[in-house]
Amino acid sequence: MKFKSISSLLLAFVMAFSMFAGTAFAIELPDSVRSLIERFNTVFAKLDADERGYITAAQQKLGGLSEADRKYVTAPAWDKLRGNPSLDEKAVSDLFMAILSIQYGDVERGLTDAYTGHLSTIREIVQCAGLSMNDVSFQDLADFLSALELNMRGQLQRLSFTDLRNGGVNGTFNKIFSKAYSSVIQSSNPLAGALKNLGVDEKVMIDMKDRLASKVDSNSNASYALAVGYIRADAYLAVNSGNSPFEPQLTAMGRRLPNHQLTWSVEQQVSGSTVTWNGEAFVVSSGTGTAKVAATISILGRSLKIFEDNIIVTGPSSPVVPTPPPAPPAPPAPEQPETPQPIADVIDELDNAVENLDQIVADIDPNAGSEQVSNVVTEIANAVNEAKAKVEQALKETATVKVPVVTDNGVAKAQIEETEIVNQIARVQEQARQLREKLDRLKEAAAAKLNELKDAAGVDLDESIEELADVELDLVVVLDLGTVDSDQAEATLSPAVVAELKQAGISRVAIVVNGASVSVPSSEISSDITVVISKSGVTLASGDVTIAAAQSSYIRTRVAADQYNVKITAQGTEIREFSEPIVISIPLATARGYDTELLTVVSVGDNGEYTYLTGKYNAASNTVDAPVYVIKGPYTVVETKVDFTDLAPVRSWAGRQIEVAAAKGIINGKGDGIYDPTGIVTRAEFAKMIVLAFNLHDASATETFTDVRDGDWFQSYVASAAKYGLMNGKGNGIFDPLAPISRAEMATIAARALKMVNGVKDVSDPAAVLSRFTDGGDVVPSLQSGTALAVRLGLVIGSDGKLDPNGVSTRAAAAVVIYRLINLN
């Protein structure tokens, strides 16, 4: 995994400053802004000569970028601004390149250059945001930057190095920045409003940063150096001097780090007696010595120096008693079966996660407000869920079997050794048992901490404690056929292997070849099974791919992958329909240049038309994955950008959600670029949204409602929703398709879908969950359970202490609920 930059905070500061610079002050920067600049300069000052050399190399590449490269880097910002006729693409590109370039150089000079060289463009952008030059004061800028920095710093102080190990430096800090920026940009600060109106959100800034890195820092050395500088700038010793033996107490990112996690060394003797590290402390034999020392920590096999500074150690006045010779080594312990490294790493991480829970709760003020308590509860829940994901990934890695193939008549056939697979399943079963025990310990510890917090803060956390019990493992065995020259590959599992899978509690078995995969639930396999994955003759390289989606001035579709067919047979009979979904994963040649959140899987019909399926990009495998209940195909991946022209009133809270839901074919506009975000959603419209969100649409489904006719556009969607128990009628055979849908109805339908598809459990006390709202008692009894579950999962959120359960939903609000549904873990 590559390490990249932590410069998102720096980048946000620069962008905010440059937006403000044209009106607030002259080139002489105010002291309050200079104090922020000095903080960033402190980061650069922590770098050594080699690390600064990496940045110099990046600067040289930066100066050599072509105009096309510069426009590629700044395309995400231009995509947001291109609709403003007063703006020029090159001018916008030059401005944002000046801003982006600051992460590789002198901050103050870069800010001044952005001000002096691009003032006219800055003014145009501010005006395009709907603001007057007098709308923003210097205090607004200071408040905006302070809030952003404080939010990120608060998250950093609760970050563990385990998180860094698993998320990588770039991914971890991009996530921190996203959360902070998303929070601050929703504030009443007018500068936040300007950025929000422009659509220049955290995704835009991070996308541009990463694009620039791909051009000037592809090996990530420069951005890794910046990340190192930021961590070092925040690291300090409790005291810098003491008597020998002197045990350093290092704090980094707000957390005290035990020395057993660190590697200490003496970098340079500065003066006086010689200072050495004896494995536990710094010592001198006599007198006083000053030395420059360093602490490093290993992250993903790379040694990260997180601290370097001088210490002073004073030795005893009398001679030091010689250390006795070490005892002879103990006889070696009996050799144990080796634990696979991914499993061993996760076991360590689960133990660390339990220890980190102590720090999470210890950091909170017992008199903390509800928001801080809520943040800590969320952090504990995230720790458990992230641990579960790590466990499943580790098990998947160790449960991956490399299967040899032989080619027969152009078909690559897996040569599955039954005994080997059965033994591998047994090993996975035992490793899963070990990890379940560790995960259960973490869940118990988390529940105990929530109870502790409940008592200390005097808040009701029973709901959060209940959620921890729902965390269960999903075990997957992967048969990897590797890379083959054939366009078709197949793998057959014998009845004996299938029986072993079921007995071991394996949830799914996945077949992978050339990056494409098909994952089949064990519950759908009765005896033997054969999976065939084939690439059709239509490929990106061949140039035969056509765009079958509707193209217009506001809809743009690009194909991102080759086409693949999938066929599954059991006992010689082809199976096309499933009670539980199979997961089809289509590989991308590259994700670069695509908005990965807008990628989805489509099935290509005989007439070349696309049927959209809700799929999600998987960065770990570079695939787009989609659960399907009916095999059709061939399948490919497309990126669809739908630029509705009437989203301004809702863009700040629903704009991106509408774009993503439209890109996956879940929602449609009303023609001519119109979405009608404030329009009312009918029961028929939401039936369509919910079945498409979970790929449950069955065109042949039937229903018995007297007010739904076979010729109605919504008939198959209503029938599909009824088939899967997601929506009911209103009695007497009436569905009432054109009636507005209430917020409580929408919440209940969303909850039913999650219960059916993901096995989510109801809350034990719906009334207690709803009581947090002043109008929670207005939810009709039949909708209380589903609404409470939707509230618990964050699918619906109240406002000003009210839920408004019987209010009608707008099209924008429905899109937000759908977006949350498809992104819910």
Side-chain angles (χ1 to χ4, degrees), residues 156 159 161 231 234-236 250-257 306:
L156 283 169
L159 183 69
F161 279 91
I231 294 174
D234 198 46
Y236 61 91
L250 180 65
T251 296
M253 297 185 298
R255 189 179 302 277
R256 164 80 167 82
L257 298 180
I306 60 174

Side-chain angles (χ1 to χ4, degrees), residues 388-645:
K388 170 182 176 285
K390 293 169 187 174
V391 167
E392 290 179 343
Q393 181 59 33
L395 285 171
K396 185 175 181 180
E397 289 180 25
T398 59
T400 297
V401 181
K402 301 292 185 180
V403 180
V405 299
V406 296
T407 302
D408 183 10
N409 292 325
V411 178
K413 296 185 177 181
Q415 303 299 293
I416 296 177
E417 175 57 47
E418 188 174 289
T419 302
E420 179 184 352
I421 299 297
V422 169
N423 290 339
Q424 183 72 4
I425 292 171
R427 286 192 290 270
V428 171
Q429 189 177 20
E430 171 57 23
Q431 290 156 7
R433 182 195 63 77
Q434 296 177 36
L435 290 175
R436 273 199 184 95
E437 290 179 356
K438 293 287 185 179
L439 188 59
D440 286 344
R441 177 172 171 250
L442 175 61
K443 288 161 58 177
E444 290 169 2
K449 291 302 174 186
L450 288 178
N451 276 313
E452 180 182 332
L453 188 60
K454 172 183 174 181
D455 295 338
V459 293
D460 183 7
L461 299 177
D462 290 344
E463 174 192 337
S464 298
I465 294 170
E466 179 182 301
E467 286 184 39
L468 295 176
D470 292 343
V471 179
E472 299 293 341
L473 289 181
D474 186 25
L475 303 183
V476 181
V477 167
V478 180
L479 304 181
D480 188 355
L481 279 58
T483 301
V484 301
D485 293 332
S486 304
D487 287 338
Q488 180 172 321
E490 67 177 48
T492 299
L493 299 182
S494 69
V497 171
V498 170
E500 196 69 27
L501 288 169
K502 290 176 173 289
Q503 188 276 330
I506 303 298
S507 309
R508 290 177 167 271
V509 59
I511 311 298
V512 182
V513 61
N514 291 339
S517 76
V518 176
S519 175
V520 184
S522 299
S523 59
E524 295 290 325
I525 309 173
S526 57
S527 57
D528 66 302
I529 183 173
T530 298
V531 176
V532 180
I533 302 174
S534 59
K535 184 185 293 186
S536 76
V538 180
T539 65
L540 285 173
S542 70
D544 295 331
V545 173
T546 58
I547 297 176
Q551 296 282 7
S552 70
S553 60
Y554 67 95
I555 300 177
R556 292 165 291 149
T557 300
R558 291 192 297 164
V559 180
D562 298 335
Q563 289 186 9
Y564 290 83
N565 283 294
V566 173
K567 181 179 180 180
I568 297 177
T569 59
Q571 296 180 319
T573 302
E574 184 174 1
I575 305 173
R576 285 186 172 271
E577 297 188 17
F578 301 86
S579 300
E580 289 189 48
I582 66 169
V583 178
I584 294 174
S585 301
I586 306 298
L588 305 180
T590 179
R592 183 172 297 174
Y594 293 100
D595 185 334
T596 55
E597 200 174 21
L598 302 185
L599 294 174
T600 200
V601 174
V602 296
S603 173
V604 184
D606 293 338
N607 56 1
E609 292 186 357
Y610 291 164
T611 298
Y612 277 72
L613 300 167
T614 299
K616 290 180 66 176
Y617 175 66
N618 184 333
S621 57
N622 195 38
T623 59
V624 179
D625 309 337
V628 300
Y629 290 82
V630 179
I631 296 178
K632 293 182 179 178
Y635 297 100
T636 189
V637 174
V638 297
E639 174 201 62
T640 301
K641 293 185 177 181
V642 184
D643 297 320
F644 293 115
T645 60

Side-chain angles (χ1 to χ4, degrees), residues 42 44-52 228-229 231-237 240 248 250-252 262-270 282 291-297 304-311:
T42 300
F44 287 97
K46 292 293 182 179
L47 306 181
D48 61 29
D50 288 340
E51 290 160 347
R52 288 193 293 271
V228 169
I231 294 174
R232 287 178 194 157
D234 198 46
Y236 61 91
L237 290 178
N240 285 68
L250 180 65
T251 296
L262 305 170
T263 299
W264 285 97
S265 62
V266 176
E267 299 286 285
Q268 178 184 350
Q269 299 290 341
V270 177
F282 289 103
K292 178 184 289 186
V293 301
T296 61
I297 191 167
L304 171 64
K305 183 193 292 185
I306 60 174
F307 175 80
E308 185 179 68
D309 204 352
N310 289 349
I311 63 168

